Amino acid sequence: MEFTRMAPECGVEVSGVSLANCSDSEMESIKQAIYEHGVAVFREQEFSPEDHIKFGRRWGGIDVNNYFPLQDDFNEIAVVKKDPDQQTNIGGAWHTDHSYDQIPAMGSVLVARHLPPQGGDTMWAHMGAAYDALPDDMKARIDELEAFHTADHVYKEDGLYAQTDMGKSLRGQNLKTGAVHPVVIRHPHTGRKLLYVNTAFTINFVGQTREESLPLLTELTNAALTETNQCRLQWKPGTVAIWDNRTSWHNAMNDYQGHYREMHRITLSGEALAA
Ligand code: SIN
């Protein structure tokens, strides 16, 4: 296997491996690369829905997403799609999947099934590099903080998506979510310190209101999104991306109006997070 960085601080492209048939030691190297770089990209993969599910189970389990439509014949696969006449896409803002769960999903395995002629890239940002680059006084300010995360404002009946043309295709509008996590976590496998707040699901710091929390949340978001911290993937048929939700944020570009895009996503089970 060969590992080539996608950007100075984020992402790695892995060649010389078939995800559907990788050995246990290849699987271990893939896991370590994703934990470390935040996202790994694999090209020219033959990866059927059965392979996708088998890979997710082999990694350590699948957390079925409560909101996205599911693939008819494979209910562990969430369908991330946008029709030609839709304006809004799923995941079109910086976020990390499922941070609103007390045991958030470890990561996601996203497979390109139908791509627009151009556009529809996905970007990631590395939260270890984001934390490292913070000034010492900011680190001291956030090291002991905890934050509250929820998805209710995004997915509920009158939530953000319901006000768009994406609302009707989603499920789970009645669910209630809420979780408290440290603002700075240690990666369960690498031990690296990571910034663990995100613009989509982090509402407030514990002990502060939303209004009191917003200035610091905005400051952390701006500090996290430096150019060297980010990588960008141009999808091609056969591309698979696997990312770590603790190490990275991601953002799906919505720049292909009038075209169809369909991706299949499996969300991998994770573990409780600690400072
Ligand atoms: C997501 O999982 O947030 C969507 C990513 C994408 O469609 O590129």
Side-chain angles (χ1 to χ4, degrees):
M1 272 192 293
E2 215 171 288
F3 297 85
T4 310
R5 279 179 187 272
M6 294 167 69
E9 301 284 1
C10 187
V12 67
E13 187 153 334
V14 185
S15 57
V17 68
S18 160
L19 285 177
N21 306 298
C22 63
S23 66
D24 287 347
S25 75
E26 285 173 328
M27 183 76 166
E28 209 38 54
S29 305
I30 289 168
K31 284 187 177 185
Q32 291 309 320
I34 292 163
Y35 296 152
E36 194 181 319
H37 297 281
V39 55
V41 169
F42 305 82
R43 301 287 192 184
E44 295 175 6
Q45 296 292 314
E46 303 246 337
F47 206 56
S48 67
E50 289 90 344
D51 294 331
H52 199 175
I53 290 171
K54 207 169 103 200
F55 186 87
R57 289 196 185 135
R58 196 174 158 201
W59 184 295
I62 296 173
D63 278 7
V64 178
N65 182 278
N66 287 324
Y67 303 106
F68 300 165
L70 302 176
Q71 235 270 337
D72 285 344
D73 301 325
F74 302 95
N75 276 336
E76 284 152 302
I77 298 178
V79 179
V80 177
K81 73 175 173 115
K82 180 168 171 261
D83 288 323
D85 62 352
Q86 277 181 317
Q87 300 299 309
T88 310
N89 69 336
I90 289 179
W94 285 106
H95 66 286
T96 184
D97 298 330
H98 297 203
S99 72
Y100 45 79
D101 288 335
Q102 200 55 57
I103 300 195
M106 172 268 139
S108 297
V109 184
L110 191 69
V111 184
R113 294 296 181 203
H114 188 104
L115 293 169
Q118 61 208 6
D121 295 357
T122 308
M123 298 185 71
W124 285 266
H126 198 291
M127 290 304 115
Y131 176 79
D132 290 350
L134 292 173
D136 285 347
D137 59 339
M138 176 63 92
K139 286 181 180 158
R141 199 170 153 205
I142 64 172
D143 265 350
E144 304 294 319
L145 286 181
E146 293 185 312
F148 174 72
H149 302 237
T150 179
D152 296 358
H153 60 295
V154 179
Y155 294 109
K156 66 183 178 187
E157 271 161 16
D158 57 350
L160 292 176
Y161 274 128
Q163 292 165 39
T164 72
D165 56 4
M166 184 54 70
K168 62 182 182 316
S169 48
L170 297 174
R171 306 176 294 120
Q173 277 90 347
N174 298 326
L175 293 174
K176 277 213 76 61
T177 57
V180 170
H181 303 292
V183 168
V184 181
I185 57 165
R186 274 204 190 268
H187 192 282
H189 299 279
T190 66
R192 186 169 180 183
K193 280 187 160 187
L194 307 166
L195 184 62
Y196 195 74
V197 288
N198 67 90
T199 53
F201 302 124
T202 311
I203 304 298
N204 60 281
F205 298 108
V206 171
Q208 298 181 23
T209 63
R210 169 77 173 159
E211 288 66 35
E212 287 163 347
S213 305
L214 260 181
L216 179 55
L217 276 174
T218 307
E219 206 177 327
L220 291 173
T221 301
N222 293 339
L225 292 176
T226 61
E227 216 174 301
T228 50
N229 236 5
Q230 300 175 34
C231 66
R232 183 174 186 127
L233 168 62
Q234 207 175 353
W235 295 89
K236 295 181 187 150
T239 302
V240 178
I242 309 176
W243 66 85
D244 183 325
N245 280 317
R246 294 78 55 96
T247 313
S248 63
W249 291 352
H250 58 284
N251 187 357
M253 299 294 104
N254 187 13
D255 55 357
Y256 52 95
Q257 301 300 355
H259 297 285
Y260 185 65
R261 180 177 184 268
E262 180 173 326
M263 316 293 277
H264 285 183
R265 197 180 94 181
I266 275 182
T267 316
L268 303 166
S269 306
E271 54 243 280
L273 303 174

